[in-house]
Amino acid sequence: MTDASVLDVEGLRVTYATRAGEVLVLPGLDFQLRAGEALGLVGESGCGKSTVALSIMRYLGRNGRIAGGRILFEGRDLVTLDDAALRAIRGRRIAMVYQDPMASLNPVMTVGRQLMEVPMIHEGADAAAARARALAMLGEVKLADAEAVMERYPHQLSGGQQQRIVIAMALIAGPALLIMDEPTTGLDVTVEAAVLDLVRELRQRHRSAILFISHNLGSVVRVCDRVGVMYRGELVEDGSVRQIFGNPRHPYTRGLLDCLPTLGRDKRDSPLVPIAGQVEPAHVRRAGCGFAGRCAHVEAGRCTVRPIPASVVDGEPGHRVACLRAEELEHWTRRRGAAAAAHDAAPAAEPVITVHHLTKVYEPRRRRRRFGAPRPSVRALADVDLAASRRHTLAIVGESGCGKSTLAKVLSGIEVATQGGVTLDGVEVGALPIDARTAVLKRKLQMVFQSPDSTLNPSHTVGYAIGRALRLLQGRAPDDLAGAIAKLLEVVRLPPGIAARKPRHLSGGEKQRVAIARALAGDPDVIVADEPVSALDVSVQAAVVNLLTEIQAARGATLIFISHDLAVVRYLADHVAVMYLGTVAEAGPVERIFAPPYHPYTEALLSAVPVPDPEHDVARILLEGPVPSANEMPRGCPFATRCPRRVGAICDDTPPPVQRPAAGHRIACHIPADELQRLQAPLVEPAPAGR
């Protein structure tokens, strides 16, 4: 790192024009970023992180304006530059990587042409030179077969490949500042780890300063030198990664860390502690500390009178906190919820839902394509065997394309099994589409989807959505429909007044709670939750996860939880199934899955988890080699083409045997379980003693 300042933000004030008048979003922000340095901005949705990025890029839109302060980039004030001067800087000296790579890629142009445009437009390079630069950049972001990738369109690439292309586009002109706004939110854990490793490597090579915006605190630890914690447009704490994660001083920072599930701990020994309340609307700005309304340490008349200036933490140069009581608070240790006893493990019971030899094949349409041969069949699931007992949580994990969501669709009747079946409380339902299932069967199994926006009708109120579910699942409307709706909202910790609102008036966490309430309308025996917390802030995620455990304990429901977040899985699950290319690579009790011996694929997944702890240092296991096509399944082990522990031709030619190293634990691998245990090291912290 050098001492040269690339970016100086001084007293930045940003307002947005709304129907209620002009709203102050950033009341006076100050920070500095030096060459080669990475600063992470963290905080809940609505805290102003993306507004900071858009202010630097001068992309605030028609209703946003910079009302005061300066943004000095390489000594020039971006606030005062005209459009022509800004165009000369954007894309060349300042580049931005957005959360959704498809928002930056033109779907009707090859990625090669899009990469070539950057040096051609910004530097006047000719086509030959631009193509050479693009090929070299694809090599730097570690995309194999760069010549072939150049000719592909964005839709022909995976999410991880698209994100690498966007990073290549951002870096090809050698910018001094790279802004990354939630660049890994929608990615699998292995792809996320690869992208984060790539960002660290390219940063060192290109010496670009990086502003990294994320709600994933583990990603921030992996990439950044310093962290800024934002709340309601203000930096309430900033310092080095080790200072913020090792000795957080602001109650809000501590609250964010208490929300995080950690590998090695679960709902019985370390319940999550969500932050009380939620971020107030931007137009509500009271005197004093902005966090006072949610803070357990607030002192009325002291914290609520005047703005709180940031001060340096005693003995920690570079560590600043905007809290009057920072030095009075005890040293932080992770809080444990008081309800740990409520989540005692349920005794073993007969399975309420069983998946036996389940295979799902998607056949091509009968009509032949106008050009070329018909599409081949796609085998999404292959001979899957799983079971889930009453009051237990079965987690399904794996990368995108492994069959998790297809399994959920077969369980819920959205799709039907090709072979094998699904037994729900003694009734075979694998071949029954949802329309053919009886009302009783529909009530027994309900689904919560990843995005509530895709399942809640924007034209209808929350009360209508829940009331309709009550009528359909119970066969008739309850005598007191409004009262029944209010009771369900109470179960998911929402006030009755929410029933009169439409989805657009709710936060992401509130919408997900409404989706859960609607699923509970039939008092189901089984709840299938497909990535229900992947897009939520850590505090909202903690609240929803706790809610699911409370509902399970109170109603005795079985939860099938689909996720790529292994920390949440470790916290919530009783049993885990690790899927790869439609098969179950490993399955067993959660404590067995997170300790050696692992399947080599499980081992790679665990090594890739971004842990929010600067002291956590685990060697990354890189998965290289091609992923087999789902329409040409390999004869041997499906994971053989990427396996870092491949033993030879037997892995390619012979299906792996299923080994059972312990009760209920099975691993499909040619390497003997005792040898795997000898080769492997624990990748997570052990569970606390006394369990």
Side-chain angles (χ1 to χ4, degrees):
M1 190 186 303
T2 70
D3 292 328
S5 177
V6 173
L7 181 70
D8 283 281
V9 176
E10 301 175 354
L12 180 62
R13 293 172 57 85
V14 174
T15 63
Y16 281 97
T18 70
R19 293 180 180 178
E22 197 166 51
V23 174
L24 182 63
V25 178
L26 299 182
L29 190 68
D30 295 277
F31 68 88
Q32 185 182 74
L33 194 54
R34 298 190 294 270
E37 182 181 39
L39 170 67
L41 287 184
V42 302
E44 296 168 287
S45 294
C47 285
K49 305 185 301 295
S50 293
T51 298
V52 173
L54 295 174
S55 299
I56 296 169
M57 297 296 293
R58 294 278 306 276
Y59 278 147
L60 287 171
R62 292 184 178 180
N63 64 329
R65 74 180 184 93
I66 296 175
R70 301 194 301 170
I71 304 174
L72 298 178
F73 173 70
E74 296 183 328
R76 303 173 69 188
D77 188 359
L78 298 178
V79 176
T80 63
L81 296 185
D82 59 24
D83 291 343
L86 284 172
R87 280 195 297 270
I89 291 175
R90 293 174 182 151
R92 183 173 185 181
R93 300 303 296 156
I94 303 177
M96 188 161 178
V97 176
Y98 295 89
Q99 177 175 344
D100 179 9
M102 287 303 290
S104 305
L105 295 173
N106 189 326
V108 298
M109 289 177 62
T110 64
V111 296
R113 185 65 190 176
Q114 294 182 63
L115 282 167
M116 291 167 60
E117 277 190 341
V118 180
M120 292 173 72
I121 291 174
H122 289 289
E123 301 174 18
D126 59 33
R131 182 175 179 81
R133 288 266 297 278
L135 287 169
M137 200 66 227
L138 289 178
E140 286 203 49
V141 298
K142 298 181 180 178
L143 279 171
D145 198 1
E147 288 281 0
V149 171
M150 289 277 287
E151 303 305 317
R152 292 177 186 165
Y153 290 89
H155 72 273
Q156 296 174 311
L157 304 174
S158 68
Q161 290 173 323
Q162 291 171 354
Q163 196 62 283
R164 287 171 187 245
I165 293 292
V166 172
I167 293 173
M169 288 176 62
L171 290 174
I172 194 170
L177 173 63
L178 178 62
I179 301 172
M180 309 188 80
D181 190 0
E182 300 278 9
T184 61
T185 295
L187 303 180
D188 294 324
V189 64
T190 51
V191 178
E192 177 185 27
V195 169
L196 294 177
D197 289 346
L198 174 67
V199 171
R200 291 179 62 181
E201 181 182 330
L202 293 176
R203 167 194 156 203
Q204 294 170 359
R205 188 181 308 164
H206 292 269
R207 303 297 298 159
S208 296
I210 295 180
L211 183 63
F212 188 87
I213 297 170
S214 180
H215 68 257
N216 186 327
L217 300 186
S219 299
V220 170
V221 168
R222 185 168 283 182
V223 170
C224 298
D225 306 297
R226 293 194 298 121
V227 182
V229 182
M230 290 195 69
Y231 190 77
R232 304 203 69 215
E234 300 178 82
L235 274 181
V236 297
E237 186 168 6
D238 67 285
S240 71
V241 167
R242 292 186 182 278
Q243 289 169 339
I244 297 298
F245 286 86
N247 184 28
R249 304 306 303 166
H250 197 283
Y252 180 60
T253 309
R254 296 180 174 192
L256 290 177
L257 294 175
D258 283 330
C259 292
L260 294 175
T262 58
L263 294 173
R265 296 176 179 270
D266 62 25
K267 58 192 174 187
R268 286 179 286 278
D269 62 67
S270 190
L272 305 179
V273 185
I275 301 173
Q278 59 187 26
V279 181
E280 292 181 310
H283 65 271
V284 178
R285 191 168 288 278
R286 299 184 177 90
C289 176
F291 188 59
R294 304 171 70 189
C295 182
H297 305 285
V298 64
E299 285 188 1
R302 181 184 178 192
C303 303
T304 57
V305 176
R306 59 183 63 87
I308 312 297
S311 58
V312 177
V313 175
D314 188 32
E316 296 189 24
H319 187 182
R320 301 187 308 158
V321 59
C323 177
L324 294 177
R325 302 200 60 199
E327 295 299 328
E328 303 169 18
L329 303 180
E330 296 179 359
H331 183 76
W332 178 79
T333 56
R334 184 179 295 278
R335 284 197 296 162
R336 295 174 59 177
H343 302 303
D344 289 338
E350 288 295 317
V352 67
I353 187 166
T354 304
V355 178
H356 42 92
H357 302 294
L358 179 63
T359 297
K360 173 62 181 178
V361 178
Y362 289 99
E363 299 290 351
R365 295 179 179 178
R366 292 182 180 179
R367 183 171 61 87
R368 294 178 65 89
R369 297 169 62 191
R370 180 172 297 180
F371 302 105
R375 297 182 184 275
S377 301
V378 174
R379 189 173 70 170
L381 297 172
D383 200 29
V384 173
D385 282 301
L386 294 171
S389 301
R390 195 172 302 278
R391 301 176 66 89
H392 277 227
T393 298
L394 170 64
I396 313 293
V397 303
E399 297 169 295
S400 295
C402 72
K404 305 187 302 291
S405 293
T406 299
L407 176 60
K409 291 176 181 178
V410 174
L411 296 181
S412 60
I414 297 174
E415 299 284 353
V416 295
T418 305
Q419 295 177 13
V422 177
T423 303
L424 175 59
D425 207 11
V427 179
E428 176 56 48
V429 297
L432 288 178
I434 187 65
D435 291 341
R437 296 188 182 185
T438 65
V440 173
L441 289 176
K442 290 178 182 177
R443 285 201 301 270
K444 283 182 177 292
L445 187 147
Q446 287 291 299
M447 192 160 176
V448 178
F449 294 89
Q450 177 175 355
S451 172
D453 284 318
S454 64
T455 57
L456 294 175
N457 191 322
S459 301
H460 292 154
T461 64
V462 166
Y464 176 87
I466 297 176
R468 183 173 183 270
L470 284 166
R471 289 193 299 271
L472 292 176
L473 293 174
Q474 297 186 8
R476 64 181 183 85
D479 294 335
D480 182 9
L481 181 60
I485 293 170
K487 285 182 179 179
L488 282 174
L489 289 173
E490 182 182 355
V491 169
V492 296
R493 307 288 190 271
L494 288 175
I498 288 282
R501 300 186 191 175
K502 292 183 178 179
R504 67 177 179 271
H505 299 136
L506 307 180
S507 68
E510 288 172 334
K511 284 186 279 194
Q512 195 61 283
R513 287 170 184 251
V514 170
I516 294 171
R518 187 174 60 179
L520 294 175
D523 194 15
D525 294 326
V526 180
I527 300 172
V528 180
D530 189 1
E531 299 276 12
V533 297
S534 63
L536 303 180
D537 295 326
V538 290
S539 182
V540 179
Q541 172 184 281
V544 171
V545 168
N546 281 350
L547 174 64
L548 289 172
T549 61
E550 291 167 9
I551 290 171
Q552 185 179 41
R555 298 187 171 223
T558 298
L559 179 63
I560 297 177
F561 185 81
I562 297 170
S563 180
H564 65 256
D565 189 330
L566 295 183
V568 174
V569 166
R570 178 65 182 94
Y571 173 81
L572 186 61
D574 298 297
H575 287 77
V576 180
V578 182
M579 295 191 65
Y580 185 79
L581 210 64
T583 65
V584 177
E586 182 173 5
V590 64
E591 61 273 8
R592 293 285 183 182
I593 298 296
F594 283 74
Y598 318 102
H599 188 283
Y601 179 56
T602 309
E603 184 182 16
L605 291 179
L606 291 175
S607 80
V609 175
V611 177
D613 180 0
E615 305 299 328
H616 184 87
D617 187 18
V618 170
R620 282 271 294 109
I621 299 173
L622 298 177
L623 294 181
E624 300 176 336
V627 179
S629 171
N631 51 31
E632 293 182 4
M633 294 292 288
R635 290 180 300 170
C637 175
F639 188 54
T641 57
R642 302 170 72 198
C643 183
R645 298 192 182 277
R646 182 176 176 275
V647 295
I650 189 174
C651 296
D652 299 320
D653 302 330
T654 307
V658 176
Q659 306 177 63
R660 301 184 184 276
H665 184 199
R666 68 182 196 265
I667 299 174
C669 185
H670 287 289
I671 304 173
D674 56 352
E675 185 176 348
L676 282 174
Q677 186 152 19
R678 180 177 59 81
L679 293 171
Q680 295 169 336
L683 296 174
V684 302
E685 59 185 285
R691 283 285 303 277

